[in-house]
Amino acid sequence: MPNVLLLGGTTEASALAQALAEAQIPATLSYMGRVERPKAQPVPVRIGGFGGVAGLRDYIRQHAVTHVVDATHPFAAQMSTNAVNACADTGTPLIALTRPAWQPGPGDDWQRVADIPAAVAALAGPARHVMLAIGRMHIHEFAPQPHHRYLLRLVDEPKETPPLPDHVVVVDRGPFSTQADIALMRAHKIDLVVSKNAGGTGSVSKLEAARALGLPVLMIDRPSLPPRHDVHAIAEVLTWLKA
Ligand SMILES: NC(=O)c1ccc[n+]([C@@H]2O[C@H](COP(=O)([O-])OP(=O)(O)OC[C@H]3O[C@@H](n4cnc5c(N)ncnc54)[C@H](OP(=O)(O)O)[C@@H]3O)[C@@H](O)[C@H]2O)c1
């Protein structure tokens, strides 16, 4: 019988947890624990970092984990790299459940940048009304561009005031709709959207809204990761587990 460690923190991980519970495959869902009030889950949950690669190796051994599924966010590069290394060290099969990256389509006006520092650099220039839709973690990195008005959409109320003199916080964990995002962008007179290339459907509405309003998007590319077995569908994870 498998004993799955599911690295989560995403909509996809929660959906996989549900599928594993329904298939009666024993699994533990792991969160970093940054979000307050995490969603109730149908499988046991553990919370907190493992303590790097060595900690994850210990966890895998101590809990007799047979399979690791990495369903973390595509920007959680440290966790994903640790999982590749700890699984290699312990001989534990690893699969990643990922979302294909978003691609620009007709009507999109994207400027792609390699990472967050490049996005910050690209914001030099005249003051704008910027929707900074990148989560809480990296907001402080935009402090060198204080002259914009920033709209920050966050899952939780920030504990510290963001270091951006002119900002508005909207607390919402979604799911979001295109119509609501169009209304939000209009209400805040947004003229630029900054986004990570997260992929998936959970937060694509801001891109659809930007397209509908003819707004440019500064799109931050994903970090690179070590090679690993990567699938996009829950059914493929279940097939892999049963093989
Ligand atoms: N980055 C994003 O944009 C984003 C967006 C939505 C959700 N998330 C979720 O938020 C979490 C943290 O993201 P991040 O970008 O800060 O990750 P990260 O930089 O790759 O991870 C930093 C450290 O946090 C711990 N960690 C991360 N994910 C964990 C998990 N699922 N279970 C246990 N420990 C975990 C690990 O600590 P140790 O080294 O001590 O094990 C890891 O080394 C992830 O679970 C991710 O799926 C991230």
Side-chain angles (χ1 to χ4, degrees):
M1 196 60 167
N3 179 27
V4 178
L5 174 61
L6 170 55
L7 303 171
T10 57
T11 314
E12 290 76 8
S14 298
L16 178 56
Q18 182 65 41
L20 291 170
E22 284 167 10
Q24 299 189 333
I25 297 173
T28 300
L29 175 58
S30 175
Y31 285 129
M32 179 182 184
R34 191 184 291 140
V35 172
E36 293 166 21
R37 300 168 282 111
K39 242 180 103 167
Q41 294 292 348
V43 299
V45 168
R46 69 160 298 285
I47 294 179
F50 297 94
V53 178
L56 183 53
R57 274 199 308 258
D58 290 347
Y59 183 93
I60 288 170
R61 288 185 178 127
Q62 283 165 11
H63 294 81
V65 171
T66 59
H67 299 74
V68 176
V69 182
D70 181 356
T72 57
H73 191 273
F75 280 73
Q78 186 64 58
M79 186 69 254
S80 292
T81 304
N82 290 356
V84 168
N85 291 325
C87 287
D89 293 349
T90 55
T92 312
L94 168 72
I95 197 168
L97 175 63
T98 62
R99 320 154 172 181
W102 291 318
Q103 303 295 337
D108 283 326
D109 175 11
W110 288 13
Q111 179 188 350
R112 287 179 55 185
V113 288
D115 51 23
I116 290 195
V120 174
L123 284 176
R128 308 178 80 166
H129 289 194
V130 179
M131 181 169 176
L132 192 54
I134 59 160
R136 162 159 63 104
M137 282 291 291
H138 298 278
I139 287 172
H140 63 279
E141 295 180 44
F142 288 81
Q145 307 290 7
H147 55 299
H148 301 293
R149 161 161 288 199
Y150 291 97
L151 171 64
L152 310 174
R153 177 160 63 192
L154 303 171
V155 175
D156 295 307
E157 197 68 54
K159 292 198 177 70
E160 290 161 17
T161 307
L164 303 169
D166 191 3
H167 72 265
V168 178
V169 173
V170 174
V171 175
D172 194 346
R173 70 166 62 194
F176 307 110
S177 78
T178 308
Q179 284 314 314
D181 276 3
I182 289 173
L184 182 73
M185 289 180 194
R186 280 200 173 124
H188 291 273
K189 299 186 171 53
I190 296 301
D191 50 27
L192 176 68
V193 176
V194 180
S195 171
K196 292 175 173 172
N197 196 334
T201 54
S203 60
V204 75
S205 57
K206 60 180 178 275
L207 302 180
E208 293 169 345
R211 186 184 308 139
L213 294 170
L215 298 180
V217 174
L218 193 55
M219 182 61 77
I220 305 168
D221 280 345
R222 297 172 171 205
S224 56
L225 293 172
R228 58 189 183 159
H229 182 190
D230 201 354
V231 295
H232 296 322
I234 285 174
E236 292 176 271
V237 177
L238 297 179
T239 303
W240 175 79
L241 285 169
K242 288 172 186 163

